């Protein structure tokens, strides 16, 4: 089965073509600057050097038409014709309370995804554009939607409710939904395989630490809590997002600086987090380098970052009444031995024994980085949301 996975953003589309027989990536790429000057496609066939195609890409449909042309071209393609495409899987950011699992796309599903627009005004509209473009260009091909929020729909009500007037929940669906669900699901399922354990034997915390970051408590294979909320701004300190904040600060700054809602949104989403504290960068590599050069704000930002993750792991250990494994993923979780060591430092009382040399030597692959005697296992697992989307697409299409 050949499956295309699409992740449509406001001005870009990430794509991957899978052959599900060996779960192999045949091609991948990025359509960028859609509707802007200088639009292009960067295409990589079979892990070979990327090729760049320039051309005017006015909208998502034009971008998808362009990439389908490349995928079927003689020189750069991996498919003989469109007929070889069995299905398309889409990342859809917000599924609200409607979707607990991935679903085959039908007119009813499109209607429900549209109803979730208000909850993710930046993400759901381009996701939907991708779905409609495929309907137009490949009308006979099945499509599946895989939601970032779906995995966290198992959270109990006491974990997902906010202490605001209850009618606001009823009227607008204001509650914690959580994001990165496909990543948390993928790495937790890999962790069961690596540890050779059944899901109900393991109380696990998964830390997805990338530009955006979230953490999840998972027991019996189900998300029981997660740090992102109604929007992806809640929880951990991120590259440019504040994470948890006293709401009073926002009201105070809006009054004092006389800024409107748009500017307040930019403040907490784009100008805060590691960038806001350091004033240098949102990029962890640059911040670690600045801290190594004794930059005080970089050192402070790192201490705050690790501290916030520690607090969440502690809270989730309490939420699950125990902890057997911690998983690190995302650009920082996969690549920063320093971050992993600093975060794990505070769990000695739970019997966590990090193996320093395993932690330091690891680069971009799966491994357990605790000593054999460690009661809490720590595992690094590179995430692969695209593969999970392709697997879900195959499962749903085959009706399993
Ligand atoms: P996104 O959320 O955009 O998918 P990624 O998961 O790629 O982001 O993570 C990006 C983050 O990972 C950046 O802060 C980057 O600095 C960090 N990162 C990547 N490699 C390293 C490394 N070797 N050491 C520390 N941080 C790293």
């Amino acid at each position: 089965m050949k499956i295309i996975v699409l992740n449509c953003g406001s001005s870009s589309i990430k794509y991957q073509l899978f052959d599900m027989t060996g779960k192999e990536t045949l091609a991948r790429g990025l359509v960028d600057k859609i509707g802007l000057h200088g639009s292009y496609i960067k295409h990589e066939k079979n892990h070979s050097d990327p090729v760049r195609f320039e051309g005017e890409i006015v909208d998502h449909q034009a971008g998808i038409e362009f990439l389908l042309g490349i995928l079927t071209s003689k020189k750069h393609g991996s498919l003989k014709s469109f007929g070889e495409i069995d299905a398309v899987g889409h990342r859809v950011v917000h599924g609200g309370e409607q979707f607990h699992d991935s679903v085959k796309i039908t007119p009813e599903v499109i209607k429900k995804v549209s109803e979730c627009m208000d909850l993710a005004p930046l993400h759901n509209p381009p996701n939907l554009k991708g779905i409609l473009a495929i309907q137009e260009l490949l009308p006979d091909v099945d499509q599946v939607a895989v939601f970032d929020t779906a995995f966290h729909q198992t959270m109990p009500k006491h974990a997902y409710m906010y202490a605001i007037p209850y009618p606001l929940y009823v009227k607008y669906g204001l509650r914690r939904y959580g994001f990165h669900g496909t990543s948390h699901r993928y790495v937790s399922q890999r962790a069961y395989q690596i540890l050779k354990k059944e899901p109900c034997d393991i109380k696990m915390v998964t830390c997805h630490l990338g530009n955006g970051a979230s953490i999840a408590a998972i027991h019996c294979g189900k998300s029981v809590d997660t740090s992102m909320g109604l929007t992806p701004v809640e929880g951990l300190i991120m590259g440019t997002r504040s994470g948890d904040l006293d709401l009073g600060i926002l009201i105070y700054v809006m009054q004092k600086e006389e800024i409107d809602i748009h500017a307040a949104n930019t403040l907490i989403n784009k100008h805060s987090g590691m960038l806001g504290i350091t004033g240098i960068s949102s990029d962890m590599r640059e911040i670690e380098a600045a801290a190594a050069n004794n930059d005080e704000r970089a050192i402070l930002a790192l201490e705050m970052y690790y501290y916030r993750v520690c607090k969440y792991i502690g809270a989730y250990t309490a939420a699950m009444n125990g902890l057997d494994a911690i998983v690190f993923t995302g650009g920082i979780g996969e690549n920063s031995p320093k971050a992993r060591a600093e975060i794990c430092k505070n769990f000695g009382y739970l019997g966590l024994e990090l193996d320093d040399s395993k932690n330091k030597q690891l680069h971009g692959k799966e491994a357990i980085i605790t000593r054999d005697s460690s009661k809490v296992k720590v595992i690094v697992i590179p995430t692969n949301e695209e593969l999970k989307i392709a697997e879900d697409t195959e499962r749903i299409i085959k009706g399993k």
Side-chain angles (χ1 to χ4, degrees):
M1 198 178 214
K2 301 227 169 81
I3 291 176
I4 297 177
V5 171
L6 293 181
N7 180 353
C8 296
S10 56
S11 62
S12 70
I13 303 169
K14 288 188 195 140
Y15 63 91
Q16 244 183 85
L17 172 69
F18 286 92
D19 182 344
M20 297 310 285
T21 320
K23 299 202 174 167
E24 186 195 348
T25 300
L26 301 177
R28 73 175 89 212
L30 172 74
V31 185
D32 210 0
K33 301 202 173 178
I34 297 171
L36 302 168
H37 265 302
S39 40
Y40 65 92
I41 295 188
K42 196 172 88 181
H43 182 80
E44 226 178 273
K45 181 182 169 184
N46 272 341
H47 308 289
S48 54
D49 288 340
V51 184
R52 197 179 157 102
F53 299 85
E54 316 225 337
E56 201 188 3
I57 303 172
V58 290
D59 57 18
H60 286 70
Q61 181 157 330
I64 292 174
E65 200 168 357
F66 196 167
L67 80 84
L68 288 174
I70 297 171
L71 283 174
T72 48
S73 78
K74 266 221 169 80
K75 189 161 177 206
H76 302 284
S78 313
L79 301 169
K80 285 195 197 84
S81 70
F82 293 163
E84 275 193 79
I85 303 167
D86 294 296
V88 177
H90 294 265
R91 176 192 183 207
V92 179
V93 167
H94 221 303
E97 288 187 323
Q98 318 256 20
F99 298 105
H100 297 230
D101 191 6
S102 306
V103 284
K104 188 166 164 186
I105 291 169
T106 61
E108 176 69 7
V109 167
I110 291 178
K111 188 167 161 276
K112 284 184 179 171
V113 170
S114 309
E115 284 163 13
C116 298
M117 292 276 200
D118 280 354
L119 293 171
L122 297 180
H123 295 102
N124 274 29
N127 299 159
L128 202 53
K129 281 185 188 165
I131 293 170
L132 297 175
I134 293 289
Q135 256 187 359
E136 189 75 25
L137 297 165
L138 304 172
D140 298 327
V141 171
D142 285 330
Q143 301 193 71
V144 169
V146 180
F147 302 92
D148 272 31
T149 49
F151 181 57
H152 301 300
Q153 278 296 302
T154 46
M155 278 191 282
K157 198 160 183 173
H158 61 257
Y160 71 66
M161 288 299 291
Y162 291 115
I164 54 171
Y166 197 87
L168 289 174
Y169 162 64
V170 178
K171 196 169 172 190
Y172 300 115
L174 300 184
R175 48 157 285 181
R176 171 174 294 111
Y177 290 95
F179 298 89
H180 291 144
T182 311
S183 175
H184 289 293
R185 183 159 58 106
Y186 172 78
V187 297
S188 60
Q189 290 173 351
R190 281 297 303 145
Y192 300 131
Q193 290 168 346
I194 292 166
L195 295 171
K196 300 188 176 63
K197 295 276 188 193
E198 290 301 314
C200 283
D201 294 340
I202 299 275
K203 292 171 178 167
M204 189 188 313
V205 169
T206 49
C207 309
H208 179 111
L209 309 178
N211 281 317
S214 69
I215 185 161
I218 301 172
H219 188 211
C220 280
K222 294 189 171 138
S223 172
V224 292
D225 206 345
T226 192
S227 58
M228 282 180 168
L230 174 79
T231 75
V233 79
E234 193 181 353
L236 302 178
I237 299 174
M238 307 176 218
T240 60
R241 295 186 200 128
S242 64
D244 294 338
L245 198 69
D246 177 351
L247 300 174
I249 291 177
L250 200 55
I251 294 163
Y252 188 92
V253 174
M254 285 179 80
Q255 276 174 341
K256 289 282 181 192
E257 302 268 316
E258 295 181 12
I259 59 171
D260 62 9
I261 290 174
H262 180 72
N265 190 39
T266 305
L267 177 77
I268 55 171
N269 278 293
K270 302 237 160 86
H271 296 164
S272 292
M274 300 303 273
L275 174 66
I277 307 160
T278 61
I280 299 172
S281 171
S282 62
D283 191 294
M284 191 53 110
R285 282 166 292 202
E286 289 179 32
I287 298 165
E288 286 183 353
N293 278 329
N294 289 321
D295 183 283
E296 270 180 36
R297 276 162 59 184
I299 294 169
L300 170 67
L302 289 177
E303 283 170 352
M304 291 168 66
Y305 186 93
Y306 307 143
Y307 182 65
R308 180 79 55 92
V309 180
C310 275
K311 281 211 296 190
Y312 265 97
I313 297 176
Y316 288 170
T317 304
M320 292 187 289
N321 191 14
L323 180 69
D324 302 300
I326 299 173
V327 176
F328 285 105
T329 193
I332 298 165
E334 292 164 27
N335 298 302
S336 175
K338 170 94 176 139
R340 293 191 298 252
E342 291 292 333
I343 292 163
C344 288
K345 219 159 66 179
N346 278 12
F347 299 101
Y349 72 98
L350 290 177
L352 189 160
E353 300 169 42
L354 200 68
D355 183 320
D356 291 330
S357 65
K358 280 188 195 157
N359 180 38
K360 281 192 190 125
Q361 281 160 17
L362 190 71
H363 281 293
K365 34 176 222 249
E366 294 178 342
I368 298 175
I369 56 167
T370 34
R371 297 200 194 116
D372 291 346
S373 53
S374 183
K375 283 198 192 124
V376 176
K377 308 291 178 207
V378 179
I379 321 167
V380 178
I381 303 177
T383 195
N384 195 341
E385 288 157 286
E386 292 78 13
L387 175 61
K388 195 83 229 160
I389 293 172
E391 285 175 349
D392 272 23
T393 303
E394 184 179 34
R395 168 173 63 89
I396 302 281
I397 295 300
K398 288 186 173 168
K400 282 188 207 156

